[in-house]
Amino acid sequence: MEFLDVVRRRRTTNGAFLPDPVSEEHQRLLMEVAGRAPSQLNSQPWRFVIVEERPAIEAIARISGESMTEAMSNGTFFERYKPYFRFSKQEMERRRDGMLFDRLPAPLRPFTSQVFTSRGQKLMNAMRVPQTLGEENRKLVAGSPLLLGVMLDRSEYRPGELSSFYSVFSMGAAMENLWLTTVELGMGIQFISFPMEVPGRWDEIVRLLGVPDDLELMAVYRLGYLPAEQRRPPIDWTSEQRKLPSQYVFRGTCATPQEGWDDRNG
């Protein structure tokens, strides 16, 4: 596969994976490409923990599902992320970012016009929509053959200091290397984010993975091989839209948007 094709095909996987274990060869390759990322002064601040044991995966899945239910029940999720919701195809085409609301899970669609109101929240809670979505999330994570914890060395990751920026930047480069390689291997990947949304739940995962005091757990991902045919999942947070070059590229100074590239955007 050509490199540019890999970049253009990169996606977040919101659906289920095949149950097949991720081969050790592919695990090793993913770790190799992550370790080849650039880092400031060759500090290589990243650390990874590969999780295949079913009890650990089930436990993290339970934490993730419960976290999603809580964040959606108390309204914090919608309040925090409402700037990213788009309510019409016209707005989506203009902004070319965020999520078109009719792509959200089916149980939420009746509440499109009310989701950011107290009445809408009460209706969703009465119909147990957060519990339904939380259970779907739990099953999605539990069905993953492999989880990956991403950590940073605290001697490099020191919030408030410049080294912290360097280490986070390096971790992002490492994960992008890994993410692109999953495309080549016929795999998918998704960030498990909901435990970060609820106080105390991320700490449970830190303890579950035995993260030592000298490391900071930054993210957990689920990975696996993709089925030949992928149905639209119950929880679909994806959007195919991407900003046009004129919306994020400037020429000379930030006062001059780039012209002439939008129709060539591959």
Side-chain angles (χ1 to χ4, degrees):
M1 189 181 301
E2 296 292 332
F3 176 73
L4 288 179
D5 187 40
V6 168
V7 173
R8 288 167 176 157
R9 288 179 54 189
R10 186 215 61 80
R11 296 289 185 274
T12 295
T13 303
N14 298 303
F17 299 128
L18 294 173
D20 311 50
V22 177
S23 72
E24 185 173 349
E25 176 187 0
H26 286 172
Q27 293 180 30
R28 182 174 179 176
L29 179 60
L30 291 173
M31 292 296 93
E32 177 192 346
V33 297
R36 289 183 177 274
S39 60
Q40 201 256 351
L41 298 175
N42 198 29
S43 55
Q44 303 176 67
W46 47 72
R47 304 290 185 273
F48 301 94
V49 55
I50 298 170
V51 182
E52 294 182 286
E53 295 76 15
R54 293 309 311 168
I57 292 176
E58 292 283 352
I60 293 173
R62 175 184 55 78
I63 293 168
S64 183
E66 292 174 355
S67 299
M68 184 177 193
T69 295
E70 183 173 348
M72 289 194 162
S73 295
N74 62 25
T76 58
F77 176 80
F78 294 110
E79 181 62 28
R80 186 173 294 153
Y81 297 111
K82 64 183 179 182
Y84 303 97
F85 292 134
R86 311 287 173 249
F87 292 95
S88 70
K89 291 183 178 179
Q90 291 77 14
E91 182 185 15
M92 194 73 194
E93 184 64 26
R94 176 175 58 83
R95 292 289 303 268
R96 303 188 69 85
D97 63 3
M99 300 178 295
L100 184 61
F101 209 73
D102 67 0
R103 293 191 178 208
L104 290 180
L108 289 180
R109 292 175 198 157
F111 309 101
T112 297
S113 63
Q114 305 178 52
V115 70
F116 298 131
T117 68
S118 59
R119 181 174 182 271
Q121 186 68 59
K122 290 177 181 177
L123 284 171
M124 285 192 293
N125 289 350
M127 297 182 67
R128 297 184 60 79
V129 172
Q131 285 79 5
T132 299
L133 297 180
E135 176 59 15
E136 290 290 347
N137 180 272
R138 184 200 66 78
K139 291 191 292 187
L140 201 63
V141 177
S144 304
L146 185 146
L147 303 184
L148 181 68
V150 186
M151 299 160 289
L152 285 177
D153 184 340
R154 285 181 184 268
S155 67
E156 297 292 333
Y157 178 69
R158 301 189 298 273
E161 298 185 24
L162 193 54
S163 65
S164 181
F165 166 78
Y166 291 144
S167 61
V168 172
F169 189 88
S170 299
M171 182 189 73
M175 284 308 302
E176 183 70 1
N177 279 4
L178 188 153
W179 204 305
L180 292 175
T181 303
T182 64
V183 180
E184 178 75 17
L185 299 179
M187 297 176 62
I189 182 171
Q190 184 183 35
F191 180 34
I192 301 174
S193 61
F194 272 97
M196 288 183 161
E197 304 285 346
V198 179
R201 302 316 301 261
W202 193 249
D203 292 336
E204 294 181 39
I205 297 179
V206 169
R207 291 190 293 269
L208 185 67
L209 298 181
V211 180
D213 291 341
D214 61 339
L215 297 179
E216 177 81 14
L217 182 65
M218 303 296 292
V220 176
Y221 295 85
R222 64 184 195 95
L223 297 92
Y225 296 111
L226 296 173
E229 295 185 6
Q230 300 176 55
R231 297 181 179 180
R232 184 173 180 177
I235 303 176
D236 188 1
W237 306 110
T238 61
S239 173
E240 296 299 320
Q241 293 283 16
R242 290 294 184 269
K243 286 186 177 294
L244 300 171
S246 62
Q247 294 174 302
Y248 65 91
V249 180
F250 303 92
R251 175 68 65 174
T253 74
C254 295
T256 309
Q258 173 67 46
E259 296 181 356
W261 287 5
D262 288 357
D263 59 348
R264 306 176 194 176
N265 195 25

